[in-house]
Amino acid sequence: MSTRVEVGRGRARSRQLIAENRAGYLFLLPWFIGLLAIVVGPMVASLYLSFTDYNPLTTPEWVGLDNYIKMFTADPRYLKSVGVTLTYVFVSVPLQLAFALGLALLLDRGVRGLAIYRSVYYLPSLLGASVAIAILWRQVFGGDGIFNDLLAMFGIQGISWISTPSTAVYTLVALSVWTFGAPMVIFLAGLRQIPEEFYEAASVDGAGRFRKLFSITIPLLTPVIFFNLVLQMIGAFQAFTQAFIVSDGTGGPVDSTLFYTLYLYQEGFARFRMGYASAMAWVLLAVIALFTAINFIASRYWVFYGDER
């Protein structure tokens, strides 16, 4: 008798769980549909098209690895875009993180009106990749721009920084550094998590400001530095809007601002070489994954977590 009662209770519990799971799956269904229709489906289609010669007006023609081979052997503009993008990533990301960390350290020292400063410095991060700011950047670094007016105050004759091939990409680096607000806020949150007792103990031992910085603050902040590094690096590889606006979509002057994503856009949506553009997109995905993996592997040697022994 007792066995039948337990079996009945088990069945009732199973029906209850099924009902609860059904409700959960129903709520998740729109997300699954969106994932398949907007993410997985286009990715699979893009992977197939990367092995074809295709434009929207014709039927895809299978060409195998030709698109991938062409990138590295017969397309100098592609290699130029790779060089410009790597320059932008390796210069802008360290500079941006250095500015963000330096300012976070200053703001963490109990200044009055911290919320106001934090909002003011974060504002460029909200506007940094916008079309309006990119247009403004053209005016700032143009021949008659504000930057040259500032240089003139010191007797320096400026140039049109945005139109000179050797300096154009660095104006975009400056725009990237200017948007250091987002990593700065994350650094501030990380600094607030370091126990004050560590600094008090170090003061008792006679440690100075720089000793505390390099022996306590930086080591305990390495997980936050690593997080910001990966996040900003991925964003830098995908930079597009600022280069498109500043160069009127051409990547000029002389392809000096031809970012990888801008060249991909030109091939796909200006020249309608969708197969070639798809292959470029998959190479970009592989490169970002490779650099991210390298960062994770290297993090074992310099990132310190508090629970490690």
Side-chain angles (χ1 to χ4, degrees):
M1 183 66 181
S2 61
T3 304
R4 291 182 179 178
V5 172
E6 290 177 358
V7 171
R9 288 177 179 173
R11 289 176 177 174
R13 179 62 180 163
S14 298
R15 285 196 293 272
Q16 183 181 357
L17 287 175
I18 292 172
E20 291 175 357
N21 290 339
R22 186 183 300 127
Y25 286 127
L26 283 175
F27 277 111
L28 287 173
L29 188 58
W31 183 85
F32 278 118
I33 293 174
L35 177 68
L36 293 173
I38 301 175
V39 179
V40 178
M43 284 186 69
V44 173
S46 171
L47 181 60
Y48 167 72
L49 291 176
S50 72
F51 297 102
T52 66
D53 181 11
Y54 169 65
N55 71 64
L57 303 178
T58 63
T59 302
E61 180 182 350
W62 184 265
V63 295
L65 294 174
D66 284 2
N67 287 329
Y68 293 93
I69 295 172
K70 177 185 173 184
M71 286 180 204
F72 300 101
T73 60
D75 189 353
R77 291 198 80 205
Y78 174 81
L79 298 178
K80 177 70 176 179
S81 71
V82 171
V84 170
T85 303
L86 290 178
T87 300
Y88 177 77
V89 171
F90 286 118
V91 177
S92 69
V93 173
L95 283 177
Q96 187 188 51
L97 293 184
F99 270 84
L101 178 58
L103 202 58
L105 289 170
L106 290 176
L107 293 179
D108 188 53
R109 301 180 63 183
V111 297
R112 291 184 177 180
L114 174 60
I116 297 175
Y117 285 115
R118 193 163 47 198
S119 302
V120 169
Y121 287 124
Y122 186 74
L123 189 60
S125 296
L126 300 176
L127 304 173
S130 68
V131 173
I133 294 301
I135 293 174
L136 173 64
W137 220 245
R138 292 177 57 173
Q139 304 302 322
V140 170
F141 286 100
D144 300 324
I146 299 173
F147 187 68
N148 279 344
D149 291 341
L150 293 174
L151 292 179
M153 295 172 63
F154 300 96
I156 301 174
Q157 179 65 40
I159 59 175
S160 179
W161 306 91
I162 212 79
S163 303
T164 304
S166 61
T167 60
V169 69
Y170 296 105
T171 63
L172 299 180
V173 169
L175 174 56
S176 170
V177 174
W178 184 61
T179 61
F180 60 83
M184 183 204 69
V185 171
I186 298 174
F187 279 136
L188 267 175
L191 289 170
R192 294 303 171 89
Q193 300 302 314
I194 300 177
E196 191 63 29
E197 292 80 8
F198 290 177
Y199 295 107
E200 294 173 357
S203 297
V204 172
D205 291 338
R209 183 178 301 173
F210 287 99
R211 183 63 184 272
K212 292 177 184 175
L213 174 65
F214 290 104
S215 297
I216 299 176
T217 305
I218 298 297
L220 293 180
L221 205 60
T222 49
V224 181
I225 296 173
F226 173 64
F227 174 79
N228 271 331
L229 173 64
V230 173
L231 213 61
Q232 298 306 317
M233 184 199 67
I234 293 174
F237 271 113
Q238 298 174 325
F240 171 78
T241 305
Q242 52 270 52
F244 182 87
I245 298 300
V246 165
S247 67
D248 289 327
T250 63
V254 199
D255 288 344
S256 59
T257 60
L258 186 64
F259 284 10
Y260 193 98
T261 51
L262 177 57
Y263 187 46
L264 190 155
Y265 170 83
Q266 290 178 353
E267 288 295 310
F269 296 97
R271 301 184 180 90
F272 300 111
R273 297 170 182 164
M274 289 294 181
Y276 191 61
S278 297
M280 288 182 62
W282 277 95
V283 171
L284 177 62
L285 176 65
V287 169
I288 291 176
L290 175 64
F291 274 87
T292 304
I294 292 173
N295 273 315
F296 270 90
I297 294 172
S299 70
R300 300 173 185 170
Y301 303 100
W302 66 273
V303 177
F304 172 76
Y305 295 98
D307 56 350
E308 289 181 343
R309 297 183 179 178

